[in-house]
Structures are given as structure tokens and as C-alpha cells.
Amino acid sequence: MELEIRLSGSVTLCVDGRHGPLGPTKTRLALASLAWDAGRSVSVDSLVHRIWDDHPPATARETLHAHISRLRRALRAAGPDAPALTSRTNSYVLHIDPDRVDLRAYTSCVEQARALKDSDDGAALRLLERADAHWYGEPLAGITGSWPDHLRATVGETRLGAAMTRAELLMDAGKFAQAVPLLVPLLDEHPVDEALVGLLAVALYGAGRTAEATKLLQRTRQRVIRDIGLDGGRRLHRVQEGILAGAPAGALYGRASRHKPPARPVRPVPDNLPRDVPWIGRREELRRLTAALSEGGGETGPVVVIEGMGGVGKSALATHLGHRLADRYPDGRCFVRLGGHGADRAAGSPDRALTTLLRVLGPEGRELPRDTEELTALWRSLARDRRMLVILDDADCSEQVRQLLPGASPTAVVVTSRRRLTGLPGARPVSLAVLPPEDAIALFMRRLGAGGRADRSEVADIVHICGHLPLAIEIAASRLLTRSSWTTADLLKQLAAGGGQIDELRDGERTLEHVFALSYQALDPEQRLVFRRISLHTGMEFGPHAVAALTGLSLAATERALEQLLTRHLLTEPAPHRFTLHDLLRRYARSLIDEEETEHDARAALERLAVFYTSAADRADRLVHPYRSRTSPDSAEWTTLPEFDDVHAAQHWLDGESGNLSDTLDWFIRNGSERQLALAVHVLTGLLDMRGHPAATEPLLRRAVDHWAAVGDRGARARALLDLGVAHGHHSRYEEAIAAEREALELARALGDPELEIECVNQICIPLWQTGQYELMRDLQKQILDSLLQIGDRLQTARSYNVLGVTHLHLSEIDSARQYFDRALTEFTSINNERGIFSTLNNMAELATRTGDWKGAEQAYRKAISLALRRSDKRELETLRMNLANALIGLGETDEALSLSQHSLDFFRAVGDRRREAIALNRIGRAHRSAGRSEQAIPLHVAALALARRINAAGEVVDAAHDAALAHMDTGRTAQALAYAKESCQMSMRIGAHAEADRASRIITVLQGTRRASAG
């Protein structure tokens, strides 16, 4: 006989699909109150409040007892298997499986679906369909009161989440039209829910209903303003902008854009300075310049230098600063063009500049001296008692400026230059970078004027092509203004059609190419070569060794040239010995490659760069992973490789160059020979692993295996098979990993290569462990341990001890495990192998958790993490943090455990590590259960178990099934708990995990006893 309590629709007691009589409304409300908290005690006071709100009758308790008696009769009529309704001290408990209460089953299915959404979309959809089977209408239909209203609101949020989850799953699959009818009915109840409105707008847009999407967004924002007095949120604003810009629907939802208001324009002040303009941005630079000028006083005024690349806005900033601080300088403001990068270099002579100054300040009718020293003396005598501001624009060198300084005078001097003027003692430099995106957009809009034909999203693309460089933005805006029939769309099309070429940035009178050419012409031949070749580097940042490879110059010559480019602001140095090139300068330099070099020269430079990165990565990786069996890359004796002092420096280099190494691999895929690609794949296998995309990386690894097979290099083929096996293991494809590593082991034995054979055994043991084949692991390790002890390889011996410790631990042989871990730690410490030390500490911490020593486990994990932080191996670090979370759960520190586990979950999902994703999900569930939230724990344990089953991770199946059993037992779901406990026990027996089998058996005994007692 099947019994179900329905709370959705009318409150009913259903037996085999038939509705039993319950009597009056308050009896049904009493049943609903007890069923919603099925398996949990509900106090009499809570029941009274739920039934009568805050105005119960004087006989409320007696009346409640009558309702309880009526419910007991109704339950007994349901048959011998009906749930019991028992009384405790001032409380009642309805002993029923929560999944036999429709709303509890509904919310449980929804929460499990939401937990599975990021890992198994198909299972999530099936759970949502199962949830719908438990839905019969509005909860507690026809019953009024504060508690029924609260329950309806609670379930309403769950229903909203279910609909949005289903819609997101459909939209992820490109089924936008199917998502719309799921979301539209929810708008009446949640008219200003930005997440719902944004999702529906994207669904409408993706279904081709753009007009409806934009109207919905506009209507919602207007309602928010009317009802709340606030403008619509960032999410709706970003979605609306994306729709107007024609962005792909899948790229719109879930991101946010932030827009800063433009700076308030400053009214220009008439002066002998060049005309000021309404100002945009540079707030921090203005603050620093103003503070530097304020430090002057007394007999000598301050000197500040505004430096930066051509076109970055140095002169405009200096002019604006002069107008802004006009009141501080009552004795005059003077602007002198030094012409350091002008076509007429004579304009920069000190005599010409001194003459300009003296014509402004000197007595009328007086003939000026012709000698430079006399001109300087007269200038300084006239400036001695004056508080002025002098702007020396476009200085070429320190010597040029030094002759123009006013000496002992309160006059302040502002210098602008494309070079770093290091020869001006006491000068305060302020470097200008390009504008932030919002300020760049505002500059373009301001230049265009109120009547301009501007679409904001198109303007954002235009200023991006301009590299946010002020001069380029000015030129682009001017070009649009001169073409009266053009809109921003036309300008954007023109700029994009040119492939972002520098010669497209022109307005009839000015070209950006000319501005950059003035800087380029000032370089010597070696500096020009370096500047051109840097444009071939596709990475955002690069070091001097990479530039030396591109140019073929010595490292010393390369560093000298880079120093000069840095001084002239043709490069920037965001970190020590790390350089970057502005996008527009890169395009300009790339155009010079096409003009001044052959295609053969460029290809040879790129090949040298790729070989350099492969060789340098091989050197670094040998320090980071000293135990790997290596296939050496081809020699790169023509270039200097970076030196690494220790493993930390090597790891730091690999992390910093990861983007460039990825580009290197891509270059070999497109341009390299099969041998070059196979070698690069072997050296960069760690990078491939961290990409986390097996569909893209595993074909490269297979391609390397096939190449070495074709050329008959069995050793290289075995190592390539090891690389492939590791990749399979990290993506939870254990049988394929074992097959690849067995093949590698057979090749190693055929070659008679003991070093390679040992590495093959060590690698094959990892998927054997992950699939619970502990005894086979133990046998393989003991075979190689004897050989290792004979040849005295301490590193590999320590690794073998560590693996044997893990094997014995999982076979519940605790004393043997501890002995092997102690030996491993001693050996790793003696050779100072930090990776081995923290790996062993992690395993010793796991042993401590098995024996209930949670504090000891925490200490060991934290020590391991402190060592792993120095290596920066993200996969290992996140694994340690996830394991620490387990110890913290044992200590009751659930908040930190949740934070660590969630961070690990996000990381492992990102890199496609399904096994560790399952562990992290289960850890989060454990933390919730430890905090008394078993209901929240259930969907997490279920999701972890489903994932572990799918990838055949036997140990994780054991743990997730065990934890799912405990959580279901906590919430009164005895039948489900028993099924999970049996699954954990059976899997434990299959893999020889005796302690885990005993643990599950104890739960089974308790549950079977509970069922017998309930039946009795």
C-alpha cells in the first residue's frame, strides 16, 4: 500500500491514489505542519502558532489534541504500514519518509538538480522532471494564515529556482525558444527580479524576439524607478546594451559591466597657455602632479616631469594643469615648445627656448643677448622673484631642460617628454598610461559633441581599436566629424576592415603613424631591430631572453636596447624584467616588419622564439619535476636560456610564462614539424594538463605517440604514452590511463631501461589507486622497491615508500602505512624534495583522520600547504586545501571548511578534474551535515556519488554513498539510507577497503534495527 501526503494543491492524505478524509481546515493545517517537518519534532507552541497565528483561542492546546487524534485515526485507516504520529514532551513527530511528502520530495529533487547542473546536465533535467511529478498546484490551497503564506513563499522561491535552472540548461543547449514559456508565467509574482528578467530577456533575444526583450527590459527598469526610486541594476543594463550591440545571446547573461561617470568638465581660463578643453579623466595623475607642485616654496620651485609614449596626452595634461592651478601663480604662466620630436629639430635649441621665455617676461624694447650663457643669466634674473608656472613641452633630453631651469626662484616647472629624464636631480616624474575604457569613451563622445552620431557600444569598440590612446581617439573622432554622412558604425567598419592597421588612424591633417615614426627615427639600428621584432611576440608580456631569441642579438645587447626603448616610452615594464608593448605601437612595429624585413626573416625569428621557450621550459620543468623520464628537446645553443637558482624560481618562471608557452604550442601546431610538435607536447605536458580540455589536448598527446611510433623511437614513444596516461587519469578516464601506461611499461621492459620502467610503474599506480586496485598497486611497488634499494636512487625510493604507505592505508593496515610514510618523509627530507615532503604530509594527515586524530591531521595539512604555496602547483594546492577541509569538519570548524571546499570545487570544475570535483562536492555536503543541515547535504552527496559512479572512481563511490546514507538517515529517509549504505559496503568489499566496509556494515545494522522497530 502506497501512502503519500500532498501539500501542493489541497492538503490530502493519499493511499494508492485515493484521497482519505481529513476533516476541517485546521486538521489539514496540523497535518501540513507535521508533514513539512517530517521526521523532526515540532513543538506544541509552533503548531499553535501555525494553526491560529498570533491569536489562538484559550483552549488551543485541547483543540490541538483533538486535531492530532483525528489525524491518528486517518493515518491508521491508511493501513498497517502507515506512519506513526507520536508525542514527546510538548512536541509531536510524524514518522514518515520526507520523500513521501510531495513538497519535501519536490524541493529535494530541485536542490539535487541545481547541484548537478554544472556537472551532469542530463541528470539535472531528469531530476527537474521528477520534481514536476510531485507538484499538484498552489501549496496549502484554500488555507490562509501567516505560516501558510510563509510556506508558499518558501516553496515559491524553490519553484522560481527550478524554472530558472531548467531554462539555463535549455539555453546552454541553444534552446532559447523552449526556455521562454518556463519563465514568462513567473513574471507576475516576481516583476522586478533582475535575475529572472535578465534571463527571460536573453531567452527572448536568443529566440529571435528582440523587440519583446528590449521592451521587457525597459518596462522593468521603469517599474523599478517608479516603485523603489532606483535605476535598474547593472545586470539589466548590461543585457540591454548587449542586445542593442547584437552580441551573441550566450555571451550576455551572468556578466556585469561597470560604468564610471565622466569627470566634471573644468571651465577654461583665459591665459597665455594654449587653450584648455573640458577635461576627461586623469584624476589620479592630476592629484599627484598637484601634490608635487605643492611641495615647492621658499627659494626654489618644484620641477615635475610628465612622461609617456607619443600621443598619450602629456601636453594636454600639462596645459590643463596650468589652467587648473592658475590662481597659485599670479606672476605668469608660460608654455614653451621645445620640439624634441618635431620635424624641425632646430626648434629645440636652448637659445630659441630662452628667447621665447624672455620675450614673454623681458622689458619692452630691450635687445636680447645673443650668447647662450647671457640669455640664461637674464632669464634667471627675471624669474628670481616671480611665482610663475613654466611648461617646457616635448623635451628631448635632460641637458636641454637643465639650461632652462629658473635657478633660485619660486617658479614651478612642468616638463613633458617621451623619454625618462633621469638627469634632472630633484625632479618628480609622473608617467602617463593610456586612458581607462570609460574615460576613453567619454573623450570620444566629448570630441564628437552633442549632435554626434554615436552608438555607445560602437564607440567602445572604436576606442578599443585606438588602444585607449588619447591622440588616436582624437584622430578617430575628427575623422568621423569630417565625414558628415558617416555614423559610428561606418567608422568602426572602416577601422575594422583595415585589420586595425595604424594607417587607418588619420583625419586628413594628422596621422598616428607620423607621431610614432618620429620616435622610431630617433633609435639606432640595433634598437630599431629590437622594436620591430618585439611586434612578432604574441604574448602580453615577455622577458629579455625571448627578445634575444627573436633578434639573434646577445642577451647583453638586447638588454641595452630594451633599456633605451623603455627610456623612450616605446615599452612599459609592468614587473621587473617583464616588458609589454602598447597595441598601437605593436601594430606600427608590425608594419615596419612588412616594410623592412623579408617573410623568411620573420619566420626564422618566430621559430627561434618557439625553440627558446621549449628549451627554457624543459630546463625549468626538470627542476620542478625531477623524477620525470625525459625526451630531451633539440639543442638551442644559439640563444641564452634563463638560469634558475632553485625549484621555486623555476616554478615562478613557468607560471609567469604560461600564456607564452601556450602560444608556443599553438605555433608548433600551425607551423612546426611533427618532431618539433611532439617534443613541445612532451615538455609542456603540464601546461596541457592545466588547460583542462581533453577534447583539445588529448589529440596532441596521441599525435606525439603516433610520431614516435612512426620514426621508431621506442623510448620517446613510451614517455609520450606516459604523458597521455597522466592526461587520461586527470580527466577521470582510468581504464584508458591504465592501458596507455601498461603499453609504456612493456616498451620500457623491452628496452631494458630501468629508469623508464620505474617511472611507468609509478604512473600506473595512480589510476590503480583511483579505481581501488590496491593489492595490484602494492605488488608492483614492491617489485621496483628492491631494484631501487640496490641502485641507491633515494628520490625514487622515497616515492615508492610513499605509494606503499597509501596502499596499506587503504587496505586498513594502519601500522604498515605509518612505517612507510615515516620512511618516505625521512628520505624526502634528506634530499630536500619539497614536493615529496608535502605529498607525504598529506598522506600522513589522511592517516590521522582515519584514526580520529583531527587536530594532528589539521596540523599536517597546514604544514603541507605552506610548502605547496612556494611551488604554486595549483592542482596540488587545491587538493591539499580540500583535504584540510575534511579535518576542519572533524573539528567542527564548518565555515572555513565550506569556504575551502567551494574554492576547490570551482577550480577542479574549471580544469575538468571530475574525480576531485566529486570529492569537493562530497566535502561540502559533509560540512553542511556537520553543521546540522543534513537536508542541504543530501543533493551534494547525491551529485558527488553520481559523478563518482560515472567515472568509476571506486574510493569516491565508497565515501559518497556512505555520506549519503548518513544524511538520509538524519532526515528520516530510512529506505534510501539503507540502499546507499549497502552500495558503500559492496564497493568497499570489492576493492578490499575493509575499514570502510565495517563502517558501512554498522550503519546497515542500525538502519535494519530501526525498520524492524518501526514495523513492530
Side-chain angles (χ1 to χ4, degrees), residues 543-556 558 562 608 638-640:
H545 293 84
V547 180
L550 277 168
T551 60
L553 298 173
S554 69
L555 182 62
T558 301
L562 289 171
R608 286 198 306 271
W638 42 264
T639 191
T640 304

Side-chain angles (χ1 to χ4, degrees), residues 671-692:
N671 306 291
S673 66
E674 286 298 305
R675 175 183 174 81
Q676 286 176 319
L677 177 60
L679 288 169
V681 166
H682 175 64
V683 170
L684 302 177
T685 185
L687 174 70
L688 285 168
D689 181 41
M690 290 308 296
R691 280 181 170 182

Side-chain angles (χ1 to χ4, degrees), residues 457-467 476 479 486-506 584 587:
S457 64
E458 291 166 355
V459 171
D461 290 338
I462 290 168
V463 299
H464 178 73
I465 291 173
C466 292
R479 188 176 183 189
W486 280 20
T487 65
T488 48
D490 298 309
L491 176 61
L492 178 59
K493 183 178 180 181
Q494 185 67 27
L495 295 176
Q501 292 300 314
I502 199 77
D503 60 3
E504 289 293 338
L505 290 168
R506 63 182 187 275
L584 291 178
R587 291 180 217 163

Side-chain angles (χ1 to χ4, degrees), residues 69 585 631:
S69 297
L585 284 170
T631 300

Side-chain angles (χ1 to χ4, degrees), residues 150-164:
H150 171 74
L151 178 64
R152 282 189 279 269
T154 299
V155 177
E157 289 299 320
T158 302
R159 192 150 178 79
L160 173 65
M164 291 180 68

